[in-house]
Amino acid sequence: MKPLVSVLTPAYNRAAFISEAVESVLNQTYDNIEYIVIDDGSTDDTYSILQEYEDTGRLRLLTHKNRQNRGQSASLNLGLKAATGDYIVILDSDDRLHQHKLQKQVEFLEQNPGIGMVYGQAMAIDEGGKELFPIPPDNHVEPGDPNRLLLDCYMALPGGAMVRKTVFDCVGFFEEEFRASQDHDMVIRLAEAAPFAYVKETAFYYRKHDDAISSHGLERRWRAGFEILNRAAARYPYKRSTLRKRRALLHFRMGQVYWKKGNVGRSAIHILLAGFGDPVRAVNVILGVEKPS
């Protein structure tokens, strides 16, 4: 029998895109799928659209008690507790899977039992679905080193990856304390727990929105980044250079946030800390040789 794949989609106020996401799962060339969608207290038509799909028996719709809005991590944890598949795939509610994603990644993991997680490329698309560029770029090579993943955060767990359920069982649930960067936290925990691999094929379509994240949202993301880094350092034997360079990058990002807020003093402190932490990269960024991840 084919392995069962559990696909999880957390959804909140995505009425414009949720049907496209759902159809991309239901129309996979791989057919042994358990599809679980978790509505996170949507206030638009998302919930009613999902109810219509549930009525057809093609997906299972979950909600929090009293249809509360509890955030993506809590929604994914609800889905993980309900999942019974051999493999786990997470799809954001505004993205869509490539038609062959599940089939190709199941085949890879079945042929490579020592690999705990495999991921592929994303094709960035605009709000209308026009293809823009691949992520990561075509010249990307996966070294299989958690140090690299912690430092540059280049893997998309939602959409791009397929993970053995046994690896999720090993690392535990998403951190509900984080309301930002929880995907990065989870993907590095998964990479620490089991070998991971890259297959250069489009796995999903990542929708880029015009609405930029607010300064408050960015500040929350990078503050969470410091906590994720501290936890990673306590949990796994990362190289000291990796930890130093990642911390420098986070200081750089915080410097950008405070600069946009007009707080020049705090911005300067973070930029200086970034420069001291990773002087080579700082010079390359200043000269335009490198764009920070």
Side-chain angles (χ1 to χ4, degrees):
M1 181 178 289
K2 295 180 180 178
L4 178 64
V5 178
S6 297
V7 181
L8 312 179
T9 294
Y12 176 71
N13 286 358
R14 290 297 189 192
F17 303 117
I18 189 63
S19 292
E20 195 173 344
V22 169
E23 292 292 338
S24 78
V25 177
L26 300 181
N27 293 321
Q28 286 290 298
T29 56
Y30 190 83
D31 58 5
N32 196 18
I33 302 171
E34 169 187 65
Y35 192 21
I36 302 172
V37 183
I38 310 94
D39 182 77
D40 191 24
S42 295
T43 56
D44 64 0
D45 291 333
T46 300
Y47 184 62
S48 59
I49 293 170
L50 291 171
Q51 284 182 308
E52 292 179 9
Y53 276 107
E54 185 184 41
D55 290 342
T56 69
R58 302 181 74 190
L59 62 78
R60 181 181 177 188
L61 178 59
L62 303 180
T63 63
H64 301 295
K65 185 177 180 180
N66 299 322
R67 294 202 56 235
Q68 292 176 308
N69 171 245
R70 295 188 53 198
Q72 187 181 61
S73 291
S75 297
L76 285 171
N77 288 343
L78 188 62
L80 283 172
K81 291 171 186 176
T84 61
D86 303 286
Y87 300 120
I88 304 292
V89 168
I90 296 169
L91 175 67
D92 282 342
S93 56
D94 53 348
D95 297 336
R96 68 175 193 262
L97 297 183
H98 188 282
Q99 187 179 14
H100 302 295
K101 180 243 172 43
L102 299 188
Q103 178 182 336
K104 297 283 183 143
Q105 292 188 340
V106 166
E107 289 174 355
F108 180 89
L109 289 174
E110 287 293 288
Q111 293 167 10
N112 296 273
I115 299 296
M117 171 172 61
V118 63
Y119 72 101
Q121 276 183 310
M123 175 58 68
I125 58 175
D126 64 16
E127 292 200 26
K130 179 183 176 182
E131 295 187 7
L132 302 173
F133 50 83
I135 310 170
D138 288 334
N139 63 354
H140 174 70
V141 176
E142 177 52 66
D145 182 0
N147 282 274
R148 169 88 182 278
L149 190 55
L150 175 65
L151 180 59
D152 287 330
C153 190
Y154 55 80
M155 185 197 302
L157 177 63
M162 178 178 286
V163 185
R164 294 184 191 275
K165 178 64 159 53
T166 52
V167 182
F168 265 112
D169 290 341
C170 177
V171 305
F173 294 106
F174 283 82
E175 176 52 76
E176 296 184 19
E177 177 184 328
F178 298 145
R179 284 295 189 119
S181 299
Q182 63 271 8
D183 296 336
H184 178 55
D185 174 63
M186 176 56 79
V187 81
I188 60 175
R189 286 158 55 196
L190 293 168
E192 292 164 5
F196 56 102
Y198 169 66
V199 175
K200 185 189 167 185
E201 291 179 345
T202 300
F204 78 112
Y205 298 88
Y206 165 66
R207 198 178 304 273
K208 292 182 65 66
H209 296 279
D210 290 335
D211 52 321
I213 300 176
S214 67
S215 293
H216 177 72
L218 286 172
E219 183 176 358
R220 182 171 59 186
R221 171 183 291 182
W222 304 125
R223 285 196 182 283
F226 282 106
E227 178 60 24
I228 290 168
L229 180 61
N230 291 336
R231 294 186 187 189
R235 186 177 60 233
Y236 187 84
Y238 286 101
K239 297 176 183 176
R240 292 179 63 185
S241 60
T242 298
L243 301 174
R244 173 175 53 80
K245 289 178 180 179
R246 181 63 184 174
R247 194 173 302 279
L249 177 59
L250 293 170
H251 278 300
F252 177 80
R253 290 305 195 189
M254 289 296 289
Q256 288 181 310
V257 168
Y258 285 122
W259 180 265
K260 289 179 180 178
K261 285 184 172 184
N263 192 330
V264 178
R266 294 189 74 175
S267 174
I269 291 171
H270 282 287
I271 294 297
L272 285 172
L273 289 171
F276 286 132
D278 193 353
V280 174
R281 198 172 201 182
V283 171
N284 286 339
V285 170
I286 291 170
L287 296 176
V289 175
E290 179 180 354
K291 292 183 178 181
S293 302

